[in-house]
Amino acid sequence: MAPPKHLIILASHDPTSLELNILEQLDVKWMYWHNTPQALLPVAEKPAITWTVESAWFYGLEVTIVANAYNYKQYERWATESHFPADHLLNCGVSSGALGDLGFMQRVTPVTADTLVIASPLLLSKQDVKQLMSCEAPQTVQTGHPCVVAVTSAMLDVLASSQAVVPAENTYDGMTRDLAHWVKESEPNAKETKITLPYEAFLAVENVTAYDRYLESNEFHELRTTHANDIAPVSSGLEPIRVKSYARVGLMGNPSDGFFGCTMSLLIANFWAQVTLVPNASASDASIELLTHRFADGRRFGTAQSLAACCEQDGYDHGDRLLLACIKVFIRYCQENRLAQVDAKTRGFRLGFLTNIPRQVGLAGSSAIVSACWRALMQYHGLDEAHIPLAKQASLVLQVEVDELGIAAGLQDRVSQIYGGLVFMDFNKEYMEANGHGQYTPLPVSLVPDLYLAYIAHPEDSGKVHSTVKKRFLDGDKQVIDAMKNFASYARDARDALQQGAHDKFADLMTCNFEMRRKTYGDAVVGAANLRMVELVRQFGGHAKFCGSGGAIIISLNGCKDDAVHGLQHALEKEGFVFVKLIPQELRSTTQ
């Protein structure tokens, strides 16, 4: 009997009870750990998953972690700091359940030996791994509430080739149940073994006691924080403000929003940025504090080597600058227009943000943070669109990024995130110069057909795409000027096509938009990875265009064969791209 050679950790499940409990804690200490996957919470001064990975490595096991689009960034930062190989950390996009995610993994990085599979909250010591090394696949190992399964590569191959949609639970409990059921169904005579692991207190049993159990357990040290003092939660009597702003996809016409053209954009519920504003306990406390999230922290690193690696990966532009610039522009605008009392006597607040919007792929991640911050500030100061019209708000949010921070950007993102839903935008030059903003027309989200999104897992800076074309436009280059007019006409035609239900025409316009962009910018600027994504879409009879400035594409499979979705998904994933179905977002933002 050969021992297992591999350990697969499924980190693609929904947030656990412990994660949700922590998310409700609004004192400084706990806000630092908001949105942190349970496996990345500290256990005896290390992230829990680090103990598991190091134990597996000690016994020579190769480790693969499957994350999802919502927690991948946190795991990526952990991997960089922990020297975990990047090619063994996978992003499945939206989880398809334990079996679907294992099939995804096997298509992308095939495993050829017997393998142990666990869900990420299960912490394994060296002693635990030693016990599990004797498991013969296929086998289910019960460890109290959770389970570990030992499976063969042939079982994984079956999942990789399957296109059947199997009902699945994406909770931690659901995934462990599905794993055990799968082994039993695949091999009715599979062994069932029971062992005891010492770290079950950390496991996310789906009940309200998870948070208390974590705090009370003697196994674990108190959470570390960058703050010198342990600040206890103190209520101001005012409710905290939470505002979400969603990612944006450019349906048509981009990039002409920066060139007096027309565009049509849609907010999607798949990805979002959330700003939380907590009023200070004392009305006389005018201080403002920006709170840093553990995996967006640009000031704390495990080692000098991890600092260098994180800078190489993420650069030097952190979200704090977006919040600072937004607060500054808001304060000055209110003071100049006498809209609200914002002075040394105004009660201050603590402000932090979370985001799961993929970085640098043209989904308006930075403007989502700014627009969420802007709306939180307006709510805190009792302002609404009667005080600052929506069109003006969009222009001010653009001012934060362009004038304050020098970010290359157009109005499209900010208009979408302030108005919400589906919006047609006309940036006619004469109207813009006379009014300071364009003409914006909200449209019913129900007009949008089924669409999909693919994006590059490891992108480069999206702001570079605009640079030379903008200069050519300002210099009067006829090719660029004509191209921007064409983009604007595509947007108008696409609006009409959606209103008429002409989805075939809409899809054809997507191809026209992409080809015009390719002709105008050139293949070197469009980039080989972007071109490859579009090529794969066309192999399955689909249409595609950029969502924004590059790194992500929006896809229509209207009129394609029934198996086109799964076929395209598998083809994209095999080459390292992330694929998800778009979920249109009706509201401009939600306040909780």
Side-chain angles (χ1 to χ4, degrees), residues 72 76 89 91 358-359 361 455-459 533 551 576-578:
Y72 178 77
E76 183 184 48
L89 174 61
N91 183 346
R359 60 187 177 89
V361 294
Y455 61 90
I456 300 170
H458 302 285
M533 284 192 290
F577 302 114
V578 182

Side-chain angles (χ1 to χ4, degrees), residues 6 31 64 89 138 157 161 172 191 233 243 329-330 337 345 351 360 389 401 403 408 498 500 508 511 516 537 558 581:
H6 208 106
M31 288 182 71
T64 297
L89 174 61
D157 289 339
S161 61
Y172 165 68
K191 294 181 180 179
V243 176
V329 170
F330 179 85
N337 293 274
K345 296 181 180 180
L351 189 74
Q360 298 177 345
E401 297 189 70
D403 296 345
L498 290 184
Q500 297 162 10
D508 289 339
T511 295
M516 180 57 64
V537 171
N558 185 68
K581 183 176 181 179

Side-chain angles (χ1 to χ4, degrees), residues 201-443:
F202 189 63
L203 298 173
V205 178
E206 294 301 316
N207 60 48
V208 296
T209 66
Y211 173 68
D212 294 330
R213 291 171 62 198
Y214 180 64
L215 292 183
E216 293 172 0
S217 173
N218 292 326
E219 296 285 348
F220 311 111
H221 290 192
E222 193 172 339
L223 290 185
R224 298 175 65 184
T225 175
T226 56
H227 299 272
N229 298 319
D230 182 10
I231 303 176
V234 179
S235 175
S236 65
L238 300 176
E239 290 294 321
I241 295 170
R242 288 173 171 166
V243 176
K244 280 185 179 178
S245 188
Y246 295 89
R248 177 274 308 132
V249 293
L251 293 185
M252 205 71 65
N254 53 302
S256 71
D257 56 314
F259 303 87
F260 303 112
C262 298
T263 62
M264 184 166 55
S265 294
L266 174 72
L267 291 192
I268 58 172
N270 303 73
F271 304 108
W272 44 262
Q274 176 177 286
V275 166
T276 300
L277 186 155
V278 182
N280 289 341
S282 172
S284 61
D285 182 359
S287 66
I288 295 175
E289 180 180 6
L290 301 187
L291 304 180
T292 302
H293 177 263
R294 168 65 183 91
F295 291 98
D297 192 344
R299 295 168 293 180
R300 177 179 175 272
F301 303 89
T303 64
Q305 185 173 345
S306 69
L307 181 151
C310 288
C311 290
E312 291 168 352
Q313 175 179 281
D314 297 333
Y316 304 97
D317 297 333
H318 302 289
D320 286 1
R321 68 177 187 145
L322 299 172
L323 301 181
L324 284 171
C326 184
I327 295 170
K328 181 259 185 179
V329 170
F330 179 85
I331 290 171
R332 292 301 185 223
Y333 184 82
C334 287
Q335 290 174 338
E336 291 166 4
N337 293 274
R338 299 182 179 180
L339 289 177
Q341 181 180 349
V342 184
D343 54 31
K345 296 181 180 180
T346 304
R347 185 197 296 259
F349 51 82
R350 289 167 282 158
L351 189 74
F353 78 94
L354 304 171
T355 183
N356 60 25
I357 300 176
R359 60 187 177 89
Q360 298 177 345
V361 294
L363 293 176
S366 61
S367 67
I369 295 171
V370 176
S371 59
C373 180
W374 184 270
R375 295 183 61 77
L377 293 170
M378 287 192 62
Q379 183 175 338
Y380 182 61
H381 291 283
L383 303 177
D384 57 27
E385 60 191 79
H387 299 92
I388 309 177
L390 295 179
K392 182 62 177 177
Q393 290 183 45
S395 296
L396 289 167
V397 170
L398 179 66
Q399 179 184 327
V400 170
E401 297 189 70
V402 175
D403 296 345
E404 295 294 319
L405 300 174
I407 297 174
L411 264 168
Q412 165 178 241
D413 303 354
R414 294 88 204 153
V415 172
S416 296
Q417 289 162 338
I418 292 296
Y419 277 75
L422 175 64
V423 185
F424 178 82
M425 296 161 253
D426 187 339
F427 301 102
N428 176 271
K429 183 176 182 179
E430 290 73 22
Y431 188 93
M432 290 275 292
E433 291 176 346
N435 297 276
H437 57 78
Q439 294 176 289
Y440 312 135
T441 307
L443 300 170

Side-chain angles (χ1 to χ4, degrees), residues 65 272 428 477 586:
I65 300 172
W272 44 262
N428 176 271
D477 186 313
E586 189 77 47

Side-chain angles (χ1 to χ4, degrees), residues 179-197:
L179 287 171
H181 181 72
W182 167 54
V183 171
K184 187 173 181 180
E185 288 289 310
S186 300
E187 180 52 66
N189 296 321
K191 294 181 180 179
E192 290 188 17
T193 306
K194 290 187 178 181
I195 63 174
T196 300
L197 302 183

Side-chain angles (χ1 to χ4, degrees), residues 7-10 39 43 46-59 61-65 78 84 116-126 128-129 132 148 197 199 202-203:
L7 173 66
I8 300 170
I9 302 176
L10 294 178
V43 173
K46 287 184 183 180
I49 200 170
T50 300
W51 292 103
T52 299
V53 170
E54 289 179 350
S55 298
W57 284 347
F58 181 82
Y59 284 99
L61 293 180
E62 192 171 350
V63 181
T64 297
I65 300 172
W78 165 81
F84 185 85
L116 298 172
V117 183
I118 65 171
S120 64
L122 182 57
L123 190 158
L124 299 178
S125 67
K126 291 179 183 177
D128 303 328
V129 174
L132 294 170
V148 180
L197 302 183
Y199 294 107
F202 189 63
L203 298 173

